[in-house]
Amino acid sequence: MQRIGVFVCHCGTNIAATVDVKAVAEALGHEPGVVISQDYQYMCSESGQYLIKDAVKEHSLTGIVVCSCSPRMHENTFRKAAAAAGLNPYLVEIANIREQCSWIHKEIATATEKAIILGRAAVAKVHLNAPLTAGESPVVKRALVIGGGIAGIQTALDIAEAGFEVDIVEKEPTIGGKMAQIDKTFPTLDCAACILTPKMVECAQNDKITIHSFSEIADVKGFVGNFTVTIKKKARFVDETKCTGCGLCTEKCPMKKVPNEFNMGLDNRTAVYIPFAQAVPKVAAIDPDYCLMLKNGKCGVCSKVCSVGAIDYKQTDKFVEEKYGAIVVATGFNPIKIDKYEEFAYNQSPDVVTSLELERLMNAAGPNGGTLLRPSDKKHPHTIVFVQCVGSRCDDENGKPYCSKICCMYTAKHAMLIREKYPDTEVYVFYIDVRTPGKNFDEFYRRAVEQYGVHYIKGMVGKVTPKSDGKLDVQAADLLANEQLHIDADMVVLAAAIEPDKSARPLATMLTTQMDTNDFFTEAHPKLRPVESATAGIFLSGACQGPKDIPETVAQASAAAAKAIGLLCKNSITCNPCVASSDELMCNGCSSCEKVCPYGAITYIDKEFRMPDKTTRIRRVASVNPAVCQGCGACTVACPSGAMDLSGFSNSQIMAEVDAICK
Amino acid sequence: MQEAMIKRAKELLADGTVDRVMGWKKGEFSYDHTPAVFTSAQELDENFVCDDFTSANLSKYLVKETVRDGKILAFLKPCDTYSFNQLVKEYRIDREKVYVIGIPGGPKLDIEKIRAKGITGILNIRNENYTLKIETIYGVSEMPFYEAIGVKCESCKSKKHVVYDELIGEDGEVLDSNRFDMVEKLENMTSQERYDFWRSELSKCIRCNACRTVCPACTCEKCVFENPDSGIENKAAADSFEENMFHIIRAFHVAGRCTDCGECSRVCPENIPLHLLNRKFIKDINSLYGTYQAGENTTDKAPLNEYKMDDCEASIVHERGAE
Amino acid sequence: MQVNNNNEFQPLIVAFCCNWCSYAGADLSGTNRLNYPTNVKIIRVPCSCRVNPMFILRAFQRGADGVILCGCHPGDCHYTSGNYFTRRRMTLLFSMLDFLGIERDRTRVEWVSAAEGAKFAATMNEFTEAVRKLGPNRRLEDLRCRKQ
Amino acid sequence: MLRKITAAKLDQLFEAISGKQTLYIPTDREDGAAEFRKYESGMKLSNALNTVRSAKDFFFPQTENLVAFKMEGKKIEVKDIRKECEDFVIFGVRACDARSFDILDKVYLVDPVDSFYKNRRDHGTVVTMACTRPAETCFCTAFGINPTMPGGDVTAFPVGDGFFFMANTEKGEKFLADIDDLLEDGDLSRLADVQENTRNILKKLPLANLSTDSFGGDKLNELFNSDKWAGLSESCIGCGTCTFVCPTCQCYDIKDFNTGDGIVRFRCWDSCMYSDFTQMAHGNPRVSQLERFRQRFMHKLVYIPANNNGEFGCVGCGRCLQKCPISMNIVKVMKALEVK
């Protein structure tokens, strides 16, 4: 027999002004199973909680209903109070008579009537509440960072610093990511490589960090604290353990016409290559698409010149399986392809470049050794036009609806650097708005305009036309002057929108994390949980969550690391006890539930059963891993036999609520 | 046909490929054949039958049969193969334990259609060039073959066997059937007309559960309607609501899994056109989520177990044409 | 169904709300003091995909005149994909109810985020009025449960 | 001296009866099947041999409320919801269904009397209809039923251009007296011819020679332990069709329905073919379909005769032969178990 206590909160006058709390307490006192029903000024106060604790003991309560504010506010408070009095915390139900009653209704009579009905529903539900015990699941004290850009590097370093082992999986032959390609950083104009490469080296040297370069995630199983990840180590045809990074092979390789992706294809590399001088790990890789030995079986020069015998043409993709407690996603971004913007003549003229290409053109390690020359004729450009928002804040299908955030600042940086180095070069920037929120950002932009004389023109570039004299005719509108402009430019630089890396989407599916419509990972809460995904144990670092500049990326990387460290510090984690479970005797083994589970929490097992007709039979039945299940309930509806039910929100509980409301 | 089937069954029994044969057994009259398991050549010779009245879908029996040891031969009509595949997909049938011989499909006849013509005292039925010569105690009656075919065969969706180990006779094609015509007709009625239609049909329901127990998609270990803990258990419709609920929930539970085999309507003692409920779901699924045929293969995800991000909203129901 | 003192029909609306968005959206409309009728009674579920068609039929059986299901906007499901399943299930269920001649406007799915307090209130106002116009649920009620 | 109504006056007769009490007649539905319906003007008497559902529904309906409990807070009030049944007439009951009432009476009218059933029996007048065109599925004669003399309160004998009526009970006499002004005298020799013709047809029915010799209350052990049950029950899908169309199946389950503010306790037909039949707290004594299947036929052919001086629990109406989804039925069972 249930012994239920009902506690009706006045919430000062928040509830009591529109709901007759005494009448509610009185009415609910007559409900079957209710042994005590009282009202109180503030149930969430210390003394309010004592009221509950005392009642639990005095009346040997088996269930508690608190009619108060939203359970999203104080459900935990009252659960803790119950637990403190020795009652299972999951025997508490809240009737939301503030947000969903007193605050929205004005008439006392009808509001009171509704409050009573909501209270009855909670009483009806609590009759069927079962004591639940949160399970525990051990935590593997090792983290995985997916992506080895500045975000991944920072996260890995922080986690390692805290004393935990951490693996970086990077799909390129080296870590470093986009930041390694950048020349200078805003708003300080310090050298990107100078601040990045020490961190890369630190990663390589830290004995807590393992770098899986030229590797990808092939599969993710498991759940918070206990992920099993299959890493695909792509064949690089060079034995990582032997290669010393001397570079002799790259010098001798006869195949020298491979577009160099590190320099955005602006120059060439060899078929066996080390992406750049400071690469970590500094190990060569052979590009099988170009290697003459791998393609035709004729060459083998690199193998001959390698003194340590690191070249291995027979290498194949390898799969390794590792266990992790936490996973940090740091897959970063890419500039969008801008081929579709025909008006900018990107495909027609080599002198129309993207901003990232400009970074390489200006970089000392770039194709021109740091001297800015036009790609077409290697001449010094005298007029450069920058076009902002190419594909950003864009409604059409070629672009992205969001602001890429970093373009305004890096364009100011580029403009400033050019003006600084080549004062005879005129720089025009066409913009929609200039967005400079950030420490020292607006000052930086103003310096570009005021001190360096960069021509900022509010307006859109309509068309770029290559002319016969090698110049580019830039046709644009100046919105402030309300006139059409033609500029004879030597170069046009497009601030291409940035988008999440293409590898993110399949990864999100493997991780069962959410993505928004732009394929950025969705954080658990946009304000309060910005570095966690909604999937427990998966954290977000850097631009995979949204466009970010370097300082923001690093801040988020450290934040994600802190969250991961918080998880790894625990020996075990408490699981949500409101999870699904299957009544094996009713389970058909049809796999419907498994197919709708977003977490892979359901597996099927063959189990021997003693059947009602006294025979034994091996049956295929669903088995829910309570540590993985997050309690959404999708499976409960997919299951036709009703074998699958959800603790805390069981079929019978919800139907009891329906009945009570419709009474 | 029947001879060829018996011959092949005997061979497969003799060479040890199978130890049982699932087929139909001759009845008391010329039309009341019963699904049965045969274990010997003698039984097959004496009782095995396959004719215009062997319309029962044998697939569901294989759920029970494949729990047993040994391998069973099953004769499956094209429509039955869809049910079979669906059950394999849902792990209800162990494919390894069945040797499937595909046999040509119907149209099969329904004795009730003959009785509905007022023909009674039936002693023998012969099909002569698609005219049925029905010998009765009261003399010989005649009726066109096609007027006596069962509801499930009236709009055959496919003559193709989607799974088999061997075929007897030719395989056919997926047909361009008119099976959604009646659903469409109902859709074009007013809400009140539809309500009246279904009330008059469903109020006939005696809750014998024949539709459920015969349905190859209804193989739950325990049906929610029999489970006191489900909250909706009920044995008889004590109110018109319960008549509606049983059929809505049943149709929903088999939505995306129903192969449209038509057994529900075949067995309904009250001739309620239950298949229309299933077809409504199939029609909606086809038009809203892309053509899907349950049981066509064992790999496609069921439409209710998957989604597309740009699926239509539920409000499409409100936006549809006829009131 | 309820009848108030003026003998005016008061529809009973059962609203199933996802804990992560619509329930919070309902809270927000409370916080912002945005009115909607007392006819609406909310049942909290972890995700809209927890709502079994049985619950909806049950509500009608017991005397509800309208049932509305609120979840996260597509793409925003706390559990990644729950509301996508909800969408298919409810589309088919509602279509079936319509097929059986049950008035379409008694059922609805609406996506309301935690930030959309105003939308929640507006939706409830609108839905309640739509159901009020239809009058009491007679086609899918259980006479044994009718209030005397 | 039997009185007769001409076919032309049948509508008048129905109007007259239904003017005084509720009248149920078998009538054809759109799908060609017949069912008993409450008479309304213009409704035509079906020519079908039998209705899909039997006439037992009138005395033993599929669901029947027994008692209600009204709950208010913690208070529970017991409400007697029983209503006195109004007088009614069932017209056109066949001999098989008429006999089924005798079988049900032996269950429900013996001590302890089922007062719900008795109430309906007391208020119902049964007008039977003699058979003239039996079907191949008929085997009532195997159970000693004479379809040309079907019994009931009044018997109607069709004779082509009308019906002769014969009262069998006091209730029947009153019934006929009330409608006497519609009746007339007729040529009784025609009735004798019709009956003779029917008797000849009965002899030619395919199941005319179905023997009950192997069954009865004294055959319990050999039948119960027969090894034939496994083969017979193997194809049974466990639905309740045979039970629910059967005029003599009499099992029911009692259930509570929670209306929200109270409980309605009602009974509803149960079927021994269902897996939860005789489910008890400890479990179920019949765990396999074989046992459940056997129960149905043992009940009709052994247990009922054992308790009722050898009278069988089947009336040979043939409904289960027509309606079983997989065409397994009592005739097949009897033939399989027959000791030759």
Side-chain angles (χ1 to χ4, degrees):
Chain A
M1 185 62 199
Q2 294 278 10
R3 300 180 59 79
I4 295 163
V6 175
F7 303 90
V8 185
C9 183
H10 298 203
C11 197
T13 56
N14 277 308
I15 293 171
T18 28
V19 168
D20 181 347
V21 285
K22 296 238 181 284
V24 174
E26 163 73 19
L28 296 180
H30 294 300
E31 285 297 298
V34 175
V35 292
I36 175 175
S37 181
Q38 51 189 142
D39 58 285
Y40 189 72
Q41 202 86 26
Y42 287 105
M43 282 310 302
C44 61
S45 69
E46 192 91 351
S47 42
Q49 293 183 52
Y50 271 115
L51 210 61
I52 294 177
K53 291 176 195 168
D54 292 344
V56 169
K57 289 171 191 150
E58 193 181 328
H59 297 278
S60 310
L61 297 184
T62 59
I64 291 171
V65 168
V66 187
C67 302
S68 61
C69 56
S70 172
R72 296 172 58 84
M73 300 290 295
H74 278 302
E75 190 169 51
N76 260 334
T77 312
F78 298 124
R79 278 183 177 168
K80 278 183 190 155
L87 188 68
N88 183 288
Y90 294 92
L91 299 174
V92 176
E93 284 297 327
I94 311 288
N96 183 344
I97 62 165
R98 191 180 75 175
E99 283 85 345
Q100 295 179 7
C101 189
S102 71
W103 277 353
I104 42 168
H105 306 311
K106 291 194 177 104
E107 211 189 314
I108 292 181
T110 51
T112 304
E113 190 192 334
K114 177 169 166 180
I116 292 170
I117 291 169
L118 296 179
R120 273 197 199 125
V123 171
K125 186 180 181 191
V126 91
H127 263 285
L128 300 164
N129 278 27
L132 302 177
T133 314
E136 291 206 333
S137 142
V139 176
V140 176
K141 300 201 172 265
R142 187 184 182 93
L144 168 67
V145 175
I146 305 169
I150 180 60
I153 289 170
Q154 186 63 47
T155 302
L157 286 172
D158 287 352
I159 293 173
E161 179 73 13
F164 296 104
E165 299 203 316
V166 53
D167 291 4
I168 300 174
V169 170
E170 168 57 52
K171 67 179 188 309
E172 301 297 334
T174 173
I175 59 170
K178 291 288 170 299
M179 187 172 170
Q181 292 176 274
I182 294 171
D183 185 34
K184 298 280 193 301
T185 61
F186 61 78
T188 48
L189 296 182
D190 46 355
C191 155
C194 308
I195 53 177
L196 174 67
T197 51
K199 284 189 180 285
M200 291 165 62
V201 173
E202 222 182 310
C203 282
Q205 288 172 348
N206 193 316
D207 58 7
K208 297 274 183 201
I209 299 178
T210 307
I211 299 170
H212 296 281
S213 63
F214 213 47
S215 299
E216 286 168 12
I217 305 298
D219 188 34
V220 180
K221 284 203 173 69
F223 47 93
V224 55
N226 196 3
F227 294 102
T228 304
V229 178
T230 308
I231 300 165
K232 175 183 170 189
K233 294 184 79 93
K234 295 180 281 188
R236 70 196 293 159
F237 307 103
V238 175
D239 187 334
E240 266 184 284
T241 58
K242 291 181 185 161
C243 177
T244 59
C246 69
L248 193 59
C249 55
T250 66
E251 280 168 36
K252 303 289 180 197
C253 178
M255 182 60 218
K256 298 188 191 299
K257 293 275 183 200
V258 187
N260 183 355
E261 48 279 90
F262 185 71
N263 280 338
M264 303 305 289
L266 294 164
D267 65 354
N268 292 327
R269 60 165 169 81
T270 48
V272 56
Y273 68 110
I274 294 171
F276 56 95
Q278 304 97 321
V280 170
K282 196 159 183 199
V283 174
I286 297 178
D287 192 332
D289 292 343
Y290 294 93
C291 172
L292 300 170
M293 186 66 189
L294 288 169
K295 278 174 76 181
N296 314 322
K298 284 179 196 151
C299 182
V301 170
C302 50
S303 173
K304 282 171 207 145
V305 300
C306 182
S307 57
V308 293
I311 306 293
D312 175 6
Y313 298 116
K314 297 218 167 98
Q315 215 176 58
T316 51
D317 294 351
K318 280 198 193 71
F319 292 87
V320 292
E321 203 178 88
E322 297 282 357
K323 284 197 171 289
Y324 302 102
I327 297 177
V328 182
V329 183
T331 45
F333 72 96
N334 277 307
I336 62 164
K337 291 243 180 311
I338 49 173
D339 312 35
K340 293 216 171 114
Y341 289 94
E342 280 167 18
E343 63 267 40
F344 298 126
Y346 178 76
N347 285 345
Q348 296 160 44
S349 168
D351 297 333
V352 180
V353 298
T354 66
S355 301
L356 195 54
E357 286 163 9
L358 183 70
E359 292 283 353
R360 296 315 301 159
L361 287 172
M362 292 170 68
N363 192 291
N368 301 329
T371 314
L372 180 60
L373 300 172
R374 293 199 335 162
S376 59
D377 53 9
K378 304 286 180 198
K379 282 187 185 155
H380 172 59
H382 293 281
T383 307
I384 301 181
V385 170
F386 284 85
V387 185
Q388 297 292 83
C389 294
V390 177
S392 295
R393 307 167 70 191
C394 177
D395 293 329
D396 68 42
E397 60 200 15
N398 297 332
K400 303 290 174 184
Y402 49 84
C403 166
S404 294
K405 195 169 181 181
I406 55 177
C407 326
C408 285
M409 289 305 293
Y410 69 59
T411 298
K413 173 190 77 179
H414 289 151
M416 204 185 277
L417 288 171
I418 290 168
R419 291 284 297 160
E420 161 101 13
K421 227 170 159 181
Y422 313 103
D424 62 333
T425 302
E426 289 299 322
V427 174
Y428 298 88
V429 177
F430 286 92
Y431 67 94
I432 305 176
D433 308 294
V434 177
R435 296 182 167 179
T436 57
K439 193 170 167 183
N440 292 326
F441 282 15
D442 202 57
E443 294 91 323
F444 184 78
Y445 153 65
R446 284 209 311 271
R447 254 168 66 209
V449 178
E450 292 160 12
Q451 196 177 324
Y452 288 89
V454 177
H455 307 295
Y456 269 80
I457 301 170
K458 185 175 176 73
M460 286 299 292
V461 171
K463 197 164 175 54
V464 177
T465 317
K467 299 202 299 180
S468 53
D469 62 357
K471 295 229 173 203
L472 297 160
D473 173 41
V474 178
Q475 186 187 343
D478 181 337
L479 291 177
L480 295 179
N482 197 18
E483 59 182 20
Q484 288 290 318
L485 296 176
H486 281 274
I487 296 173
D488 262 3
D490 296 308
M491 279 183 77
V492 171
V493 182
L494 305 175
I498 61 172
E499 65 180 359
D501 192 83
K502 292 278 180 255
S503 63
R505 171 58 65 179
L507 184 64
T509 309
M510 285 190 264
L511 295 170
T512 70
T513 47
Q514 278 173 263
M515 282 192 146
D516 64 19
T517 50
N518 299 310
D519 282 4
F520 286 114
F521 283 88
T522 306
E523 58 281 7
H525 189 282
K527 294 177 186 68
L528 303 177
R529 294 171 68 191
V531 299
E532 296 157 83
S533 77
T535 306
I538 312 274
F539 306 99
L540 309 176
S541 172
C544 69
Q545 180 259 349
K548 276 179 197 65
D549 60 19
I550 294 168
E552 270 189 310
T553 296
V554 172
Q556 203 197 13
S558 287
K563 283 284 171 190
I565 293 163
L567 169 59
L568 297 178
C569 279
K570 294 177 183 164
N571 290 324
S572 62
I573 43 167
T574 308
C575 309
N576 166 24
C578 295
V579 293
S581 63
S582 165
D583 182 334
E584 290 176 339
L585 285 175
M586 287 200 294
C587 175
N588 303 329
C590 72
S591 275
S592 286
C593 56
E594 183 193 21
K595 297 208 169 80
V596 300
C597 179
Y599 304 100
I602 301 169
T603 49
Y604 277 82
I605 50 171
D606 285 332
K607 199 169 164 180
E608 196 174 273
F609 286 89
R610 188 139 168 87
M611 302 305 288
D613 63 3
K614 300 190 176 64
T615 55
T616 48
R617 221 173 95 193
I618 294 184
R619 290 173 54 230
R620 176 188 153 86
V621 290
S623 164
V624 180
N625 184 335
V628 187
C629 175
Q630 301 288 310
C632 68
C635 55
T636 63
V637 184
C639 176
S641 72
M644 199 59 93
D645 209 347
L646 185 66
S647 296
F649 293 95
S650 68
N651 286 335
S652 54
Q653 284 175 309
I654 296 174
M655 283 195 277
E657 285 183 273
V658 170
D659 289 0
I661 284 172
C662 298
K663 202 151 126 179
Chain B
M1 179 54 52
Q2 182 178 310
E3 280 62 49
M5 288 162 72
I6 293 173
K7 179 168 171 284
R8 192 65 190 121
K10 286 199 280 192
E11 283 167 11
L12 289 165
L13 274 179
D15 69 15
T17 308
V18 300
D19 54 18
R20 280 132 50 231
V21 178
M22 181 93 223
W24 302 269
K25 188 178 175 178
K26 277 183 201 133
E28 193 58 35
F29 308 109
S30 55
Y31 54 77
D32 61 338
H33 313 315
T34 300
V37 175
F38 301 82
T39 50
S40 70
Q42 192 196 345
E43 282 179 323
L44 287 165
D45 280 331
E46 282 172 7
N47 292 318
F48 186 94
V49 63
C50 181
D51 62 15
D52 289 339
F53 287 99
T54 48
S55 58
N57 181 348
L58 302 181
S59 302
K60 191 177 181 180
Y61 284 105
L62 300 169
V63 174
K64 187 170 71 177
E65 288 300 328
T66 54
V67 169
R68 297 185 186 156
D69 292 334
K71 191 159 183 165
I72 188 164
L73 162 63
F75 289 106
L76 300 181
K77 302 187 291 294
C79 46
D80 305 346
T81 61
Y82 286 82
S83 310
F84 179 84
N85 245 359
Q86 183 66 24
L87 285 163
V88 169
K89 177 174 165 179
E90 294 177 5
Y91 304 92
R92 303 298 281 161
I93 287 178
D94 184 346
R95 177 69 182 90
E96 299 302 309
K97 287 184 172 175
V98 188
Y99 190 88
V100 176
I101 295 187
I103 55 167
K108 300 287 181 183
L109 302 180
D110 182 355
I111 189 67
E112 295 282 314
K113 288 273 187 83
I114 298 173
R115 290 201 179 107
K117 294 269 179 198
I119 299 170
T120 186
I122 299 161
L123 300 173
N124 196 19
I125 301 167
R126 274 173 302 121
N127 175 7
E128 285 178 12
N129 279 327
Y130 293 96
T131 296
L132 295 180
K133 303 268 168 147
I134 304 154
E135 197 188 311
T136 78
I137 308 165
Y138 307 102
V140 178
S141 297
E142 280 187 10
M143 74 182 282
F145 177 89
Y146 283 98
E147 287 181 19
I149 64 174
V151 180
K152 67 183 261 178
C153 296
E154 275 173 355
S155 44
C156 179
K157 66 177 180 294
S158 175
K159 297 274 185 205
K160 182 179 151 74
H161 296 83
V162 287
V163 58
Y164 56 82
D165 292 304
E166 65 179 83
L167 283 177
I168 294 184
E170 299 275 294
D171 202 7
E173 293 296 318
V174 174
L175 304 179
D176 188 16
S177 81
N178 55 351
R179 60 185 174 135
F180 297 120
D181 288 2
M182 186 59 195
V183 174
E184 208 163 301
K185 193 177 153 200
L186 281 162
E187 285 171 344
N188 290 329
M189 291 180 177
T190 65
S191 177
Q192 181 70 47
E193 285 166 344
R194 281 197 297 273
Y195 178 74
D196 294 341
F197 173 85
W198 283 111
R199 237 12 353 266
S200 79
E201 289 297 344
L202 295 180
S203 62
K204 295 191 291 191
C205 175
I206 57 173
R207 271 304 286 286
C208 63
N209 290 314
C211 50
R212 186 192 74 193
T213 43
V214 82
C215 175
C218 276
T219 64
C220 281
E221 296 286 317
K222 194 177 197 107
C223 176
V224 287
F225 288 101
E226 272 174 22
N227 176 10
D229 297 328
S230 74
I232 59 167
E233 182 248 9
N234 93 351
K235 204 168 246 178
D239 187 274
S240 63
F241 173 83
E242 287 181 335
E243 289 162 358
N244 288 337
M245 179 174 70
F246 175 75
H247 293 289
I248 296 170
I249 296 286
R250 206 185 84 73
F252 191 83
H253 279 182
V254 302
R257 304 167 54 233
C258 166
T259 64
D260 199 7
C261 78
E263 284 285 89
C264 46
S265 289
R266 178 181 73 83
V267 302
C268 179
E270 293 283 6
N271 303 325
I272 304 170
L274 293 167
H275 62 286
L276 294 179
L277 296 175
N278 302 319
R279 279 192 189 155
K280 169 64 179 166
F281 274 139
I282 295 170
K283 183 170 178 284
D284 278 348
I285 287 167
N286 285 349
S287 66
L288 300 175
Y289 309 126
T291 307
Y292 179 85
Q293 173 59 53
E296 194 174 20
N297 56 50
T298 55
T299 46
D300 286 355
K301 254 188 165 185
L304 277 171
N305 290 345
E306 68 164 356
Y307 59 87
K308 289 202 191 75
M309 288 197 256
D310 57 354
D311 279 339
C312 62
E313 295 297 334
S315 56
I316 194 165
V317 176
H318 302 80
E319 289 150 10
R320 267 202 295 244
E323 180 262 331
Chain C
M1 185 196 71
Q2 297 153 336
V3 173
N4 71 5
N5 298 340
N6 305 331
N7 230 11
E8 199 175 81
F9 164 57
Q10 286 297 337
L12 172 58
I13 311 286
V14 174
F16 291 98
C17 291
C18 152
N19 177 54
W20 304 97
C21 52
S22 320
Y23 193 88
D27 280 354
L28 184 63
S29 76
T31 310
N32 293 342
R33 310 298 198 273
L34 300 167
N35 290 56
Y36 56 87
T38 51
N39 307 56
V40 178
K41 314 286 190 297
I42 295 171
I43 292 178
R44 182 165 71 129
V45 287
C47 175
S48 58
C49 72
R50 175 67 188 93
V51 178
N52 196 308
M54 287 189 324
F55 304 160
I56 293 170
L57 295 183
R58 178 87 161 202
F60 284 122
Q61 175 184 31
R62 302 287 155 150
D65 300 294
V67 177
I68 183 165
L69 209 163
C70 300
C72 307
H73 286 272
D76 291 351
C77 175
H78 179 77
Y79 304 101
T80 321
S81 52
N83 52 1
Y84 289 125
F85 292 119
T86 306
R87 189 161 61 176
R88 284 202 170 188
R89 290 168 184 165
M90 293 306 138
T91 304
L92 291 182
L93 176 70
F94 294 176
S95 179
M96 177 54 75
L97 293 179
D98 177 46
F99 190 60
L100 290 172
I102 313 303
E103 303 93 332
R104 291 172 188 176
D105 291 338
R106 293 200 188 279
T107 48
R108 191 182 288 190
V109 170
E110 203 71 54
W111 310 125
V112 182
S113 81
E116 293 175 322
K119 182 179 178 186
F120 187 87
T123 301
M124 292 305 149
N125 277 310
E126 195 193 307
F127 185 60
T128 307
E129 281 323 297
V131 176
R132 197 192 302 278
K133 252 183 231 147
L134 284 177
N137 161 34
R138 290 286 178 253
R139 293 186 185 173
L140 203 54
E141 72 165 343
D142 192 320
L143 277 175
R144 296 169 297 177
C145 302
R146 194 189 276 193
K147 314 290 173 294
Q148 264 79 47
Chain D
M1 185 62 205
L2 300 189
R3 299 263 285 164
K4 181 184 164 187
I5 190 158
T6 55
K9 280 190 181 167
L10 201 56
D11 287 343
Q12 266 177 277
L13 174 72
F14 291 154
E15 290 293 335
I17 303 169
S18 64
K20 288 183 190 149
Q21 47 187 320
T22 311
L23 168 66
Y24 298 95
I25 66 165
T27 188
D28 289 332
R29 296 194 306 226
E30 264 176 43
D31 64 359
E35 71 176 9
F36 279 105
R37 278 193 194 164
K38 188 173 168 182
Y39 178 80
E40 283 163 14
S41 292
M43 199 179 268
K44 294 288 170 224
L45 187 68
S46 170
N47 284 322
L49 177 68
N50 239 329
T51 49
V52 177
R53 295 170 73 155
S54 82
K56 82 173 171 191
D57 299 26
F58 294 102
F59 303 120
F60 177 47
Q62 184 158 18
T63 63
E64 182 163 37
N65 291 339
L66 305 177
V67 64
F69 309 94
K70 173 102 180 145
M71 291 186 299
E72 207 163 349
K74 290 168 187 158
K75 282 189 295 239
I76 298 180
E77 181 194 341
V78 181
K79 292 179 104 173
D80 188 0
I81 51 174
R82 179 193 306 254
K83 282 193 196 96
E84 188 70 12
C85 180
E86 286 175 7
D87 286 345
F88 66 96
V89 175
I90 332 171
F91 188 96
V93 176
R94 297 291 181 183
C96 42
D97 283 8
R99 170 67 69 85
S100 79
F101 302 151
D102 297 341
I103 294 168
L104 295 176
D105 287 351
K106 287 186 176 117
V107 178
Y108 289 128
L109 295 185
V110 296
D111 214 31
V113 172
D114 184 305
S115 54
F116 291 89
Y117 178 83
K118 182 172 187 302
N119 186 234
R120 291 175 193 272
R121 280 295 267 156
D122 288 347
H123 287 277
T125 303
V126 176
V127 181
T128 60
M129 178 75 72
C131 297
T132 54
R133 271 174 76 86
E136 78 279 11
T137 50
C138 291
F139 55 105
C140 60
T141 51
F143 300 106
I145 294 167
N146 180 357
T148 65
M149 289 296 278
D153 295 307
V154 176
T155 307
F157 299 96
V159 284
D161 63 340
F163 301 89
F164 278 103
F165 286 114
M166 181 173 82
N168 304 317
T169 64
E170 225 171 275
K171 217 192 253 174
E173 274 165 19
K174 184 174 178 307
F175 173 84
L176 286 185
D178 283 351
I179 56 165
D180 195 60
D181 54 339
L182 291 168
L183 306 182
E184 59 195 58
D185 293 335
D187 180 2
L188 271 177
S189 65
R190 283 199 65 177
L191 172 59
D193 289 349
V194 168
Q195 286 183 323
E196 179 57 27
N197 185 40
T198 308
R199 276 193 290 272
N200 286 333
I201 295 167
L202 287 169
K203 279 181 213 145
K204 287 192 282 181
L205 290 179
L207 301 178
N209 299 318
L210 186 70
S211 164
T212 57
D213 295 348
S214 306
F215 306 94
D218 54 340
K219 308 286 194 310
L220 194 147
N221 281 329
E222 55 265 47
L223 288 173
F224 190 88
N225 296 320
S226 167
D227 58 5
K228 299 270 175 52
W229 292 114
L232 288 166
S233 66
E234 146 195 277
S235 54
C236 175
I237 57 174
C239 74
T241 308
C242 52
T243 318
F244 290 177
V245 297
C246 178
T248 70
C249 270
Q250 58 212 227
C251 295
Y252 62 81
D253 197 356
I254 294 183
K255 295 194 164 287
D256 284 354
F257 176 76
N258 185 346
T259 62
D261 53 5
I263 301 284
V264 177
R265 179 163 294 171
F266 67 103
R267 70 170 164 197
C268 62
W269 293 352
D270 202 349
S271 170
C272 49
M273 294 296 185
Y274 289 168
S275 59
D276 60 353
F277 184 73
T278 56
Q279 177 78 35
M280 288 170 268
H282 84 282
N284 198 327
R286 299 183 190 93
V287 292
S288 66
Q289 199 56 32
L290 183 155
E291 292 163 292
R292 297 189 280 267
F293 182 90
R294 179 174 61 194
Q295 166 64 20
R296 180 159 201 275
F297 299 103
M298 289 296 284
H299 192 197
K300 302 254 188 263
L301 300 171
V302 179
Y303 308 147
I304 289 182
N307 295 327
N308 294 286
N309 305 320
E311 196 176 330
F312 290 100
C314 174
V315 294
C317 69
R319 285 187 178 89
C320 54
L321 275 65
Q322 296 184 6
K323 292 298 180 183
C324 175
I326 50 97
S327 299
M328 178 44 69
N329 54 55
I330 193 163
V331 169
K332 289 185 180 177
V333 169
M334 286 171 74
K335 290 204 170 179
L337 293 172
E338 191 174 6
V339 182
K340 292 206 170 108

